[in-house]
Amino acid sequence: MVDRYRKKIATMVIQLAKDDPKFVKEVIQKLRLSGEIEADDLRYLERIADRWIRIAEANLQKARR
């Protein structure tokens, strides 16, 4: 039961990183600055957010052409 709950939470967080990657990066940065997480904690999630930021920027560039 707990494993299924963790998978559901992980799925929701990954979806949030896709939907609003800049927000996710801001929250991770605040958690690091406050000392609530270590420097490499949530790095996987941060990479997902970075990827979706790049995708959004590329789409914006294509739309401008």
Side-chain angles (χ1 to χ4, degrees):
M1 176 135 162
V2 172
D3 190 44
R4 186 171 32 175
Y5 177 74
R6 286 183 180 177
K7 286 181 182 179
K8 185 176 180 178
I9 296 297
T11 301
M12 290 184 342
V13 171
I14 289 170
Q15 187 61 47
L16 178 61
K18 291 177 180 179
D19 293 343
D20 196 350
K22 291 183 182 185
F23 172 74
V24 170
K25 288 186 61 91
E26 288 175 16
V27 170
I28 291 171
Q29 186 64 23
K30 286 180 185 178
L31 290 172
R32 283 190 183 126
L33 291 174
S34 70
E36 292 185 49
I37 63 172
E38 296 296 320
D40 12 335
D41 288 351
L42 303 178
R43 186 65 193 131
Y44 173 72
L45 187 59
E46 203 169 22
R47 283 192 301 258
I48 292 170
D50 287 337
R51 178 174 178 248
W52 283 96
I53 289 171
R54 285 191 306 273
I55 289 170
E57 289 171 352
N59 288 342
L60 185 61
Q61 290 298 323
K62 288 179 186 176
R64 288 183 180 165
R65 289 185 214 163

